[in-house]
Amino acid sequence: MRFSVFLVGRSTGPSDDSYVIQTLADHAQEADRLGFDAVFLPDHHFTGYAPMASDPFLFAAYLAGRTDNVHYGFSVTTLPLHHPVRFAERVNLLDHLTGGKLLVGIGSGTTPEETIGFGVNFQDSKNLMDAQVELVQRLWAKKVEDEPIEFEHGPYKGAVVQRIVPAPYSDRHRLMSVAMREASTARAAKYGWPAFIPAFVPPIPASGEPSTAFQKYLDAYRAAMAGSGQPQNVIDDCMSWTTHSYQCVHVAPTDEQAREELDVILGAYQEAIEREHAFNKRAEAISGVDLPDPPNALSEDWIRTWCLYGSPETIAEQLRHYEQLGVGNILMGFTNGPLTPERYALTQSSLRLFADEVMPRFRSTDQ
């Protein structure tokens, strides 16, 4: 089973941006040194949700020159906010720069505040993403001698006459989608993509039984891959990167200490969510939508769905269950919430405990 670090940590104001950016760069390098398999970056705008997330491609390129072994993932790129030609170019270039160690999650977006900032209609974002996916596949496949590809999708209009430069690094791009809807699961199987497997059933992003929800979606994805006609090596690669996510991971010497520290972390996280919610509602009014309020991150259902905490023994026991279900990659946020020096001190001890006392249990052949 693979283990990956999610580079997320909030800046609560302009004066925090530089500290959070540099700290998350340090966090990525430490994860690489400790043997984690990948670092994943979000794609977010305007809120302070990881300030370098305004351009995760640029930040990943920066990290690629400072790390040795990790893969680079995106969780997830809000595709409607990216010009399709620019997206196709940047994925190819970053794939070359990382030697093919690239996994690009894609989604349609979750907040009107981000879409209206880029001139995209939030209510059109899902259809726009579907159109973008098909167009990007055509752009990657285009040869110089082919007829120009003309397009007009939402705010994006143009024509590509020659080809996308640079050429693809390999004959297969590892995009990733959330395998929640039947259509998204089928698309992942069609193109041979790994998938993010949710542990909740919409519209409520939390669950009293996250393992049950996860297994439902994983089984559907596994069945779709088995019937896809993909080569076995592609299926094996997809399953090895199929991902279960935890927004907040905290390891401490004892379960009691881990829960006490987690409650402090989540309290600060909830305050940030509530502050941002007021701005989200303004954007919803401009966009003509009225979305549900964000979930309560202090509720036991949310903690059960999105948090992994406890002593190394407790953490390993919970992860062993997902290993048995067949998940390939565990994506973990060790820095969730406002990222202060005090918060990062907890992160560092937690990350090292996980690397020293949890990961070896899943890497040793005799376990």
Side-chain angles (χ1 to χ4, degrees):
M1 193 158 64
R2 302 181 192 269
F3 297 101
S4 301
V5 166
F6 189 29
L7 299 184
V8 59
R10 276 173 162 76
S11 165
T12 57
S15 62
D16 294 340
D17 289 351
S18 181
Y19 171 78
V20 175
I21 291 169
Q22 188 55 59
T23 299
L24 289 175
D26 293 344
H27 185 51
Q29 292 175 78
E30 181 72 354
D32 179 54
R33 187 186 70 79
L34 290 172
F36 285 83
D37 294 278
V39 293
F40 277 70
L41 295 88
D43 179 17
H44 279 296
H45 309 270
F46 313 124
T47 64
Y49 183 117
M52 79 297 171
S54 61
D55 194 336
F57 286 89
L58 182 62
F59 195 63
Y62 171 83
L63 293 177
R66 289 162 172 78
T67 54
D68 296 319
N69 300 304
V70 291
H71 285 65
Y72 306 88
F74 296 87
S75 179
V76 297
T77 307
T78 305
L79 194 52
L81 307 188
H82 294 259
H83 191 289
V85 175
R86 195 53 141 166
F87 177 82
E89 290 178 332
R90 297 183 100 186
V91 168
N92 279 7
L93 178 57
L94 192 54
D95 215 10
H96 280 275
L97 293 176
T98 62
K101 295 187 293 186
L102 189 63
L103 301 121
V104 183
I106 56 171
S108 61
T110 57
T111 64
E113 183 178 5
E114 295 186 318
T115 56
I116 62 174
F118 287 85
V120 173
N121 186 327
F122 179 77
Q123 298 183 68
D124 294 339
S125 58
K126 181 186 173 301
N127 290 336
L128 180 57
M129 190 198 80
D130 292 341
Q132 298 270 71
V133 169
E134 300 303 322
L135 173 60
V136 167
Q137 298 294 330
R138 291 171 58 206
L139 291 172
W140 280 328
K142 187 185 184 308
K143 298 179 175 60
V144 173
E145 62 270 20
D146 293 341
E147 289 296 313
I149 294 177
E150 300 183 35
F151 59 90
E152 184 172 1
H153 296 153
Y156 309 118
K157 180 179 181 180
V160 173
V161 178
Q162 293 197 50
R163 66 179 178 90
I164 295 299
V165 179
Y169 177 80
S170 68
D171 59 0
R172 172 174 166 256
H173 293 86
R174 281 193 299 202
L175 300 187
M176 297 178 70
S177 62
V178 180
M180 183 177 292
R181 295 181 294 114
E182 183 177 346
S184 60
T185 302
R187 180 164 56 201
K190 172 185 175 181
Y191 290 118
W193 296 347
F196 297 98
I197 307 296
F200 63 93
V201 179
I204 301 174
S207 174
E209 297 182 0
S211 177
T212 300
F214 176 87
Q215 184 163 7
K216 168 190 169 184
Y217 293 120
L218 178 64
D219 288 347
Y221 171 73
R222 185 183 282 118
M225 287 300 300
S228 67
Q230 295 287 350
Q232 189 60 47
N233 67 308
V234 171
I235 294 175
D236 291 343
D237 179 68
C238 287
M239 296 308 302
S240 79
W241 280 111
T242 290
T243 296
H244 175 47
S245 301
Y246 288 107
Q247 284 197 27
C248 192
V249 174
H250 191 64
V251 192
T254 67
D255 291 346
E256 293 75 18
Q257 180 180 338
R259 181 58 194 250
E260 288 176 5
E261 293 171 348
L262 178 73
D263 287 342
V264 173
I265 292 167
L266 292 183
Y269 170 77
Q270 183 65 26
E271 289 178 5
I273 293 295
E274 291 172 0
R275 181 190 66 81
E276 293 166 11
H277 182 55
F279 294 95
N280 291 336
K281 296 310 289 186
R282 294 184 197 177
E284 289 175 23
I286 296 171
S287 303
V289 297
D290 185 15
L291 301 180
D293 290 342
N296 179 10
L298 303 177
S299 72
E300 289 303 317
D301 277 356
W302 195 92
I303 292 171
R304 191 177 295 112
T305 303
W306 291 109
C307 299
L308 178 66
Y309 68 94
S311 67
E313 292 74 20
T314 296
I315 295 284
E317 182 180 350
Q318 293 182 57
L319 290 176
R320 192 69 72 187
H321 171 69
Y322 282 98
E323 180 188 48
Q324 292 167 356
L325 290 179
V327 66
N329 178 45
I330 302 293
L331 177 59
M332 299 171 289
F334 286 91
T335 52
N336 207 350
L339 191 52
T340 64
E342 295 77 16
R343 169 70 178 99
Y344 193 56
L346 291 176
T347 289
Q348 289 175 301
S349 61
S350 179
L351 186 75
R352 289 167 186 158
L353 265 177
F354 189 94
D356 291 344
E357 299 191 29
V358 178
M359 280 203 303
R361 306 177 193 223
F362 296 86
R363 299 283 170 86
S364 176
T365 58
D366 61 357
Q367 293 292 323

